[in-house]
Amino acid sequence: MDRGFETVPSIALTDPAADPDAWLAGGAGTLAGLRSAGSFLLVLVVLAVFAARVPAFLGTANLGLILAQSSVLGILGLGLTLVLITGGTDVVAGGIDLSLAGTHGLSAAAFAGLNQAGAGDAACVAAALGTGLAVGLVNAIAVLRLRIPPLLATLATMNICAGLELVITENTTIPAASPLIEWLGGTGPLDVPVLGYLLLAVALTLAASLRLTALGPRASAVGAHPEAARAAGLSIGRYRAGSYLASGLSGGLAGIASVAFLNSATGGSADMLLPVVATAFLGVVFSRRLVPTVPGTLLAALFVGSLTNGFQLLHVSTYWVNGIEGALILAVVGATAASAKGHAA
């Protein structure tokens, strides 16, 4: 049974010589805060450049389009964020879920395939979400029961999903049309796309769950301090298994959103792998403590979506976005590794 953590009153020390470790920790926190502020400034500069080159970039219609374009990536990134929180940001031994791109593609194929067969929206949604949960369960068993490193386990699962997706789609596009697809692909209040509202709703729900309940502190403890969490009575395996299930569910939801955005299921979902990883890790720099957060991932998804949209408006090949995403991953992982080394020292 879980027991709550005991809180120990902290004493503020103004003399660095009294507690050099606390002084160094404060300096590291200040440095992380500067990195976070610099990240926000970089985003504002990029958006300002796009707005200056293409005035329509900040138009209501285009901002709504960015929200819709970012919905699938954002939902997948939020799913990966949950795994990073409970498993730690060590990409080899910690929490990682590389299967999300494949899960999203397979779930979209399941939805569109049933839709083509004449099934109703309820059955299609159940199939997509059930597919995501099944993949999450496989990941949890592979990582926690079979003790396969998460990097290898989820990479293998991604390839399985990609293969099954090709079997269902036969490497072709499966069109889909239904009242649900029409509604999700439409616009809501203030002419904002419904998919944009879906992304914001998912982010708000996760943020509230992690911020306002005991789930957030406990999941963070499991990821950052597993031994202390275990000593406090928390079930490490249960929290990490839950994160993989939630991640798989986000992949299923992203599959539905993808079908709604494209009015079809298409192959090549593995191409989403780099953007998803970039989004989740880029979100880390928007945190003062350089840790994964839901708001940070949401901002990162919107930033990546803005980059893609801005390049499209400037008629620049979006292949440049892939290079930028790779560079951002290297920068963020390097920054977090340097921060961790500083704390360890």
Side-chain angles (χ1 to χ4, degrees), residues 1-223:
M1 178 177 289
D2 294 349
R3 299 196 303 268
F5 293 105
E6 296 180 359
T7 57
V8 180
S10 59
I11 301 175
L13 299 174
T14 56
D15 182 7
D19 191 347
D21 290 339
W23 183 75
L24 287 173
T30 301
L31 182 58
L34 291 175
R35 289 194 188 108
S36 178
S39 302
F40 279 107
L41 180 61
L42 175 61
V43 170
L44 292 177
V45 169
V46 171
L47 296 181
V49 170
F50 284 145
R53 296 288 303 275
V54 184
F57 178 77
L58 293 180
T60 304
N62 192 61
L63 291 178
L65 178 60
I66 291 174
L67 264 176
Q69 288 178 326
S70 304
S71 59
V72 174
L73 177 60
I75 293 172
L76 292 173
L78 291 171
L80 179 54
T81 298
L82 296 178
V83 177
L84 292 176
I85 290 174
T86 58
T89 55
D90 186 331
V91 295
V92 176
I96 192 70
D97 185 358
L98 300 182
S99 69
L100 271 165
T103 304
H104 135 260
L106 181 58
S107 298
F111 186 102
L114 279 180
N115 177 266
Q116 278 286 295
D121 280 332
C124 294
V125 169
L129 297 181
T131 298
L133 283 174
V135 175
L137 179 60
V138 170
N139 286 332
I141 293 174
V143 172
L144 300 171
R145 293 294 184 187
L146 302 181
R147 305 293 183 183
I148 301 175
L151 185 70
L152 298 178
T154 58
L155 182 61
T157 308
M158 184 197 74
N159 286 325
I160 293 173
C161 289
L164 291 176
E165 178 191 359
L166 289 176
V167 170
I168 295 175
T169 63
E170 296 182 349
N171 205 22
T172 61
T173 298
I174 303 179
S178 73
L180 177 63
I181 294 300
E182 183 178 355
W183 176 70
L184 286 174
T187 56
L190 304 177
D191 289 331
V192 175
V194 173
L195 287 175
Y197 282 113
L198 177 62
L199 171 60
L200 296 178
V202 172
L204 181 61
T205 300
L206 292 178
S209 299
L210 295 175
R211 187 77 175 178
L212 304 179
T213 71
L215 176 63
R218 291 175 178 177
S220 297
V222 166

Side-chain angles (χ1 to χ4, degrees), residues 260-330:
F261 185 72
L262 300 173
N263 289 316
S264 63
T266 60
S269 61
D271 294 340
M272 288 285 291
L273 175 59
L274 181 61
V276 172
V277 174
T279 297
F281 277 93
L282 178 59
V284 170
V285 302
F286 293 112
S287 165
R288 283 194 75 256
R289 295 183 296 116
L290 288 179
V291 295
T293 63
V294 169
T297 299
L298 177 61
L299 287 173
L302 295 176
F303 176 59
V304 174
S306 298
L307 279 179
T308 303
N309 180 270
F311 282 176
Q312 289 172 343
L313 292 177
L314 292 174
H315 304 291
V316 176
S317 174
T318 53
Y319 291 128
W320 282 97
V321 178
N322 291 333
I324 293 175
E325 288 167 348
L328 289 174
I329 291 176
L330 288 176

